[in-house]
Amino acid sequence: MAYSFARSLPFVAALMLLTACDNATTRPQMDIAGKTMGTFYSVKISGEVTENRQQLQQEIDALLEQANDDISTYRADSVLSRFNRSHSSAPQPIPRGMADIILTAQRIGRDTHDAMNITVGPLVNLWGFGPDKRPVSVPSQQQIDAAKRNVGLQHLTLTSNAQGEWLQKDLPGLYVDLSTLGEGYGADLLAQLMARKGITNYLVSVGGAVRSRGVNGQGQPWRVAIQKPTDQENAVQALVDLQGYGISTAGSYRNYFEQNGQRYSHIIDPNTGRPINHRLVSVTVIAPTALEADGWDSGLMVLGSEKAMKLAEQQGLAVYMISKTDDGFSAQMTPQFKAFLLQ
Ligand code: FAD
């Protein structure tokens, strides 16, 4: 029986950062790149830069390291991994940043009727898309049902008091997975660092989550390209100017495995307990923060094009969606997205 775990082009972002015409650059530009969260980060600064490059990179790495220590399910000793391992129902202290992510996730979870669900971890791991080992075969319905019994946003409580933020679960097997929001959170951390340093012209990204402000080396708006939804090419589907906002794309076409000709995406429908299986292949969201955009893109992806577009319109979200058709792809967007579109 053919079973291939073809995690296609892992960690390649569905968004491209464009800084065209380098030889026409008239303003100094600092370019810093590195690895974090199983993917890459990039910081591009234009205009006068007074920062010491090496020192700035150290600060960036330290910020992202802290984020990994807080919310990574790929680090056994992170705050989140310790919470997941614990079977206690007592409130456990968590860092402020992690509380902000969970608060956003709970709100988007409610708004998407639990389609975006950070307690989906047991299912993500069962299907082989988490830090655990890959499955040797497609999980049985029995295994899926068992994992689903440990899923449910209602079992997770976040409280805040003078002493700090506290996270609590009333289901011992609850496992929180913040992977879908981590890149957005990371991009926001980088944008906040730029703001603290008084840097006003930057383009920062962690994986597929991006923030930008001001202009590039040519004095033009930074341009971010949404890629065509295939795992074969880096062709541009649309170009946007973020105008200080955050952007994130969720896609079912870059991280999947195949068995017997059937593709299994890493985005799981918490309702069925199975990878999504519909014609919506890519959702891009622009929002005031990259965290917000990163939360919405996966939630809308789970819902499928019809429900996603309806919800995006109700919520007034800037959303660009690409669906598979019989002879190619079709794109649709909300009016709010058009305001960011360059071409
Ligand atoms: P997105 O579409 O943004 O999210 C998909 C992911 O969200 C799935 O892989 C799953 O984890 C989760 N998910 C699936 N369905 C749902 C749902 N319905 N609701 C909510 N969430 C859902 N990867 C490594 O290989 N090695 C590492 O060391 C590593 N470290 C990491 C550290 C941190 C702090 C974080 C946040 C992630 C890390 N990752 C690591 C994971 C990786 O970088 C990506 O975050 C992950 O592959 C998914 O991101 P994405 O943008 O590709 O997909």
Side-chain angles (χ1 to χ4, degrees):
M1 181 184 293
Y3 182 90
S4 64
F5 209 110
R7 194 177 187 179
S8 170
L9 298 179
F11 316 124
V12 177
L15 296 169
M16 283 188 283
L17 316 178
L18 300 184
T19 51
C21 308
D22 278 342
N23 57 358
T25 299
T26 52
R27 294 148 61 100
Q29 180 164 312
M30 191 181 277
D31 222 328
I32 297 176
K35 288 184 184 171
T36 187
M37 301 184 189
T39 183
F40 302 95
Y41 74 77
S42 160
V43 173
K44 295 176 189 297
I45 303 169
S46 71
E48 291 305 322
V49 188
T50 52
E51 294 295 323
N52 173 284
R53 189 181 187 288
Q54 204 180 348
Q55 205 178 323
L56 184 56
Q57 178 138 28
Q58 279 169 2
E59 282 184 62
I60 291 167
D61 286 334
L63 261 182
L64 295 172
E65 266 303 291
Q66 187 59 56
N68 277 273
D69 283 345
D70 291 345
I71 62 161
S72 176
T73 49
Y74 291 77
R75 287 192 181 175
D77 58 348
S78 73
V79 176
L80 184 58
S81 289
R82 279 185 269 128
F83 176 80
N84 284 338
R85 261 197 317 276
S86 162
H87 283 189
S88 165
S89 60
Q92 298 177 41
I94 59 166
R96 174 75 244 172
M98 182 169 158
D100 287 342
I101 302 174
I102 291 171
L103 208 56
T104 301
Q106 287 177 320
R107 172 171 45 80
I108 297 176
R110 274 193 303 275
D111 288 343
T112 58
H113 310 289
D114 287 7
M116 207 290 274
N117 188 330
I118 54 170
T119 69
V120 79
L123 288 162
V124 170
N125 293 340
L126 178 68
W127 283 93
F129 293 110
D132 296 356
K133 282 188 182 147
R134 302 299 183 211
V136 288
S137 64
V138 168
S140 67
Q141 189 58 48
Q142 207 178 10
Q143 287 174 303
I144 292 170
D145 291 341
K148 274 180 74 178
R149 284 195 280 278
N150 282 319
V151 174
L153 280 171
Q154 71 278 17
H155 298 294
L156 189 68
T157 308
L158 178 69
T159 47
S160 186
N161 60 25
Q163 279 73 47
E165 280 70 37
W166 307 82
L167 196 60
Q168 195 172 1
K169 54 180 158 184
D170 65 15
L171 202 58
L174 200 76
Y175 180 109
V176 176
D177 177 359
L178 297 178
S179 284
T180 198
L181 294 145
E183 293 174 357
Y185 175 65
D188 286 341
L189 286 179
L190 298 182
Q192 286 155 15
L193 179 67
M194 298 296 113
R196 281 201 298 279
K197 294 193 168 294
I199 298 169
T200 52
N201 294 302
Y202 61 81
L203 177 69
V204 296
S205 67
V206 177
V210 184
R211 286 278 298 266
S212 78
R213 194 176 161 203
V215 292
N216 65 15
Q218 292 85 50
Q220 302 295 320
W222 298 102
R223 296 181 307 157
V224 177
I226 300 168
Q227 292 185 6
K228 283 193 189 297
T230 77
D231 56 8
Q232 306 295 328
E233 53 178 317
N234 276 339
V236 173
Q237 172 83 25
L239 272 180
V240 293
D241 166 16
L242 292 182
Q243 306 164 23
Y245 279 59
I247 188 169
S248 176
T249 294
S252 61
Y253 55 96
R254 290 199 181 247
N255 193 349
Y256 59 84
F257 71 80
E258 272 181 359
Q259 181 169 337
N260 297 333
Q262 163 100 38
R263 273 191 187 191
Y264 297 92
S265 160
H266 68 143
I267 299 177
I268 310 287
D269 182 342
N271 195 32
T272 62
R274 293 171 178 276
I276 53 170
N277 183 20
H278 48 56
R279 292 194 147 208
L280 180 58
V281 289
S282 153
V283 175
T284 299
V285 179
I286 299 179
T289 64
L291 174 65
E292 185 84 13
D294 212 2
W296 275 106
D297 64 5
S298 337
L300 295 176
M301 194 69 208
V302 171
L303 290 175
S305 57
E306 217 168 286
K307 285 185 189 162
M309 188 47 84
K310 206 170 154 199
L311 184 59
E313 282 170 356
Q314 275 170 6
Q315 296 277 336
L317 301 173
V319 175
Y320 187 98
M321 302 194 312
I322 305 173
S323 301
K324 206 157 43 180
T325 61
D326 289 341
D327 49 5
F329 296 101
S330 71
Q332 48 182 158
M333 71 185 99
T334 59
Q336 288 81 358
F337 196 93
K338 283 194 184 127
F340 296 93
L341 212 55
L342 286 170
Q343 115 186 359

